[in-house]
């Protein structure tokens, strides 16, 4: 049977010492940590050894990280110094898994804080040193794989960006989006017409959440099927191949409709660009992420207190237009990069789940 002990029985919980800004410099000396793993500056001495588990006690209280270099700990950090019963990395892996417990012990106030006793009272299992090392080795294998996948994703994104910029700057002939296709917005839907089910009703936050691969914190919204049918008679329906572009909030982010399932959107929040035989939808979608478009967007909105990308501005937006054959070639190249990135991200998510399960 594995023995459990309070953290305070098997390690020291040491609070750091604050330095004044005048004592810090920008690059020389040892990193000074204050509430996180990013140095707030550097100092000529260190007060903590390398391979230390750190628990933030003020501000971002309850967060846990591992620092593998000698550093100076400010008073916003607790450093955990284990005795000979515990391996440094095993201690970190266990305490990191207790973040939610630690955050549940935060004292509310102008500045959230956590006491040393809250850390000392955590219970930790004490298997043999050989078993601790086996656990650390297994989890280190996962973290190494996760780190490698993240690096591959970053490199593939850079390749995608390089290819995209190269491909979109090869052509000087341009046409405006209004010359290529129809641009429209949907009729207004009022908040009291929102429903908990029915036809999906998207706002700019829905496109941004899809783009960032997260759940919309504002929740999902719907409208009734009867309202959808009535309003759809007054405008174009949003169909497969159409592009939605954010017109408010974070502007200029596209969403390419990939099927014909019913969808309605908030007027002005999302502007609709109809599919056209003059331009391949995926080509236009990739163009919205190009540096050329981002510079153009900044130019036409830089004086606005609150930026909006309006129907008129979208209609007037110039797009480099090669032949449809050349557009298809460009789409094939960029779609291949996007799919490769998506595959790596899927592997990463799976590996992270495996890591959490084994830990």
């Amino acid at each position: 049977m594995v023995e459990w002990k309070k953290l305070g029985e098997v390690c020291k919980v040491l609070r750091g010492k604050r330095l004044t800004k005048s004592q810090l410099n920008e690059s020389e000396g040892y990193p000074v940590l204050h509430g996180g793993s990013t140095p707030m500056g550097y100092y000529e001495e260190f007060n903590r050894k390398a391979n230390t588990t750190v628990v933030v006690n003020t501000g971002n209280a309850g967060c846990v990280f591992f620092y593998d270099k000698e550093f100076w700990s400010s008073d916003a950090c607790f450093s955990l110094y284990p005795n000979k019963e515990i391996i440094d990395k095993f201690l970190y892996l266990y305490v990191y898994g207790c973040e939610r417990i630690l955050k549940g012990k935060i004292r509310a106030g102008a500045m959230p804080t956590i006491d040393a006793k809250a850390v000392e009272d955590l219970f930790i299992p004490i298997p043999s040193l050989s078993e601790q090392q086996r656990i650390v080795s297994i989890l280190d294998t996962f973290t190494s794989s996760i780190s490698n996948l993240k690096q591959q994703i970053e490199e593939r994104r850079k390749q995608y960006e390089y290819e995209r910029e190269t491909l979109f700057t090869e052509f000087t002939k341009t046409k405006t989006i209004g010359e290529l296709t129809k641009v429209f917005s949907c009729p207004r839907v009022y908040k009291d017409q929102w429903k908990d089910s029915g036809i999906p009703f998207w706002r700019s936050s829905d496109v941004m959440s899809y783009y960032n691969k997260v759940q919309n914190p504002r929740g999902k919204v719907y409208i009734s099927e009867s309202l959808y049918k009535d309003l759809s008679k007054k405008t174009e329906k949003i169909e497969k191949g159409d592009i939605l572009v954010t017109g408010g909030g974070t502007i200029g982010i596209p969403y390419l409709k990939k099927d014909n399932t019913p969808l309605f959107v908030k007027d002005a929040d999302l502007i609709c660009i109809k599919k056209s035989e003059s331009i391949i939808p995926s080509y236009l979608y990739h163009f919205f992420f190009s540096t050329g478009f981002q510079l153009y967007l900044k130019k036409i909105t830089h004086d606005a207190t609150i930026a909006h990308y309006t129907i008129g501005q979208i209609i007037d937006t110039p797009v480099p237009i090669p032949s449809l054959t050349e557009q298809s070639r460009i789409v094939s190249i960029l779609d291949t990069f996007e799919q490769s990135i998506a595959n790596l991200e899927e592997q990463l998510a799976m590996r992270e789940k495996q890591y959490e399960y084994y830990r």
Side-chain angles (χ1 to χ4, degrees):
M1 179 179 290
V2 174
E3 184 179 10
W4 288 71
K5 293 184 178 181
K6 283 188 176 183
L7 210 59
E9 296 179 68
V10 293
C11 70
K12 295 178 181 178
V13 179
L14 305 176
R15 189 170 189 173
K17 183 178 179 181
R18 180 169 298 192
L19 298 172
T20 63
K21 287 186 178 180
S22 63
Q23 291 176 289
L24 306 180
N25 64 74
E26 292 184 0
S27 58
E28 294 182 4
Y30 297 93
V32 177
L33 304 186
H34 180 84
S37 58
T38 301
M40 64 179 293
Y42 296 83
Y43 185 56
E44 58 190 13
E45 299 177 16
F46 67 91
N47 62 359
R48 297 291 179 262
K49 67 180 184 180
N51 301 322
T52 293
T53 299
V54 181
V55 179
V56 179
N57 62 52
T58 303
N60 201 17
C63 289
V64 180
F65 63 91
F66 188 76
Y67 210 74
D68 61 1
K69 303 180 183 68
E70 294 167 331
F71 66 99
W72 183 278
S73 170
S74 83
D75 58 349
C77 297
F78 291 131
S79 299
L80 309 188
Y81 273 48
N83 63 20
K84 294 181 180 180
E85 294 180 78
I86 304 182
I87 295 171
D88 288 336
K89 196 66 177 289
F90 177 84
L91 173 65
Y92 161 70
L93 290 167
Y94 184 79
V95 177
Y96 176 73
C98 296
E99 268 194 346
R100 185 161 50 179
I101 297 173
L102 288 169
K103 289 181 178 180
K105 297 183 177 184
I106 290 172
R107 288 190 296 127
M111 181 67 74
T113 58
I114 190 168
D115 295 328
K117 192 173 187 307
V119 181
E120 292 168 343
D121 284 349
L122 280 177
F123 278 92
I124 183 169
I126 314 294
S128 67
L129 292 176
S130 60
E131 181 64 11
Q132 290 180 42
Q133 188 57 60
R134 186 183 75 86
I135 291 169
V136 169
S137 295
I138 291 171
L139 296 179
D140 276 353
T141 299
F142 278 108
T143 54
S144 177
S145 175
I146 288 168
S147 178
N148 180 262
L149 283 167
K150 286 180 178 178
Q151 185 177 350
Q152 287 185 59
I153 291 169
E154 182 63 26
E155 290 173 354
R156 201 60 52 86
R157 282 179 178 154
K158 287 179 180 177
Q159 290 174 326
Y160 164 75
E161 289 168 6
Y162 173 80
E163 289 292 337
R164 185 188 64 210
E165 299 314 312
T166 300
L167 292 167
F168 277 111
T169 53
E170 285 181 354
F171 310 100
T172 56
K173 181 183 176 182
T174 66
K175 285 189 176 181
T176 65
I177 291 176
E179 291 178 295
L180 296 165
T181 186
K182 182 177 181 179
V183 182
F184 68 98
S185 66
C186 290
R188 178 157 297 185
V189 172
Y190 296 94
K191 198 166 184 178
D192 60 5
Q193 295 175 306
W194 293 4
K195 304 292 182 183
D196 294 327
S197 62
I199 304 300
F201 178 69
W202 277 26
R203 302 141 292 170
S204 60
S205 59
D206 292 290
V207 168
M208 290 306 303
S209 297
Y210 180 88
Y211 171 67
N212 291 315
K213 299 181 176 66
V214 297
Q215 293 291 326
N216 189 345
R218 297 177 61 191
K220 294 181 179 180
V221 176
Y222 303 84
I223 61 173
S224 67
E225 187 171 354
S226 59
L227 179 62
Y228 169 73
K229 287 179 179 178
D230 287 344
L231 294 179
S232 294
K233 294 174 184 176
K234 302 176 183 179
T235 186
E236 299 274 352
K237 280 189 176 181
I238 299 168
E239 300 170 314
K240 180 179 180 180
D242 293 349
I243 292 176
L244 308 177
V245 182
T246 53
T250 302
I251 60 174
I253 301 298
Y255 168 78
L256 177 61
K257 190 77 164 60
K258 296 179 180 178
D259 56 39
N260 280 317
T261 56
L263 175 68
F264 211 74
V265 302
K266 186 177 180 182
D267 61 305
D269 240 24
L270 292 171
I271 310 301
C272 310
I273 303 174
K274 284 303 294 180
K275 179 181 178 181
S276 164
E277 294 182 357
S278 303
I279 187 168
I280 297 173
S282 293
Y283 174 85
L284 183 56
Y285 168 83
H286 286 294
F287 166 74
F288 278 113
F289 293 109
S290 69
T291 299
F293 171 72
Q294 295 302 320
L295 290 173
Y296 174 79
L297 190 63
K298 186 176 181 180
K299 179 181 176 182
I300 63 174
T301 59
H302 76 282
D303 288 332
T305 305
I306 300 175
H308 288 90
Y309 188 35
T310 65
I311 287 183
Q313 290 170 325
I314 292 178
I315 288 172
D316 291 338
T317 298
V319 182
I321 297 296
S323 67
L324 290 175
T325 302
E326 187 61 20
Q327 289 180 38
S328 181
R329 184 184 74 86
I330 290 170
V331 167
S332 177
I333 293 170
L334 297 182
D335 278 357
T336 299
F337 275 110
E338 275 208 336
Q339 187 58 55
S340 175
I341 292 168
N343 291 342
L344 288 169
E345 288 175 336
E346 187 177 341
Q347 291 179 49
L348 175 62
M350 187 182 304
R351 200 58 48 85
E352 287 176 332
K353 286 180 181 178
Q354 289 174 328
Y355 170 82
E356 293 297 330
Y357 171 80
Y358 276 95
R359 190 188 67 198

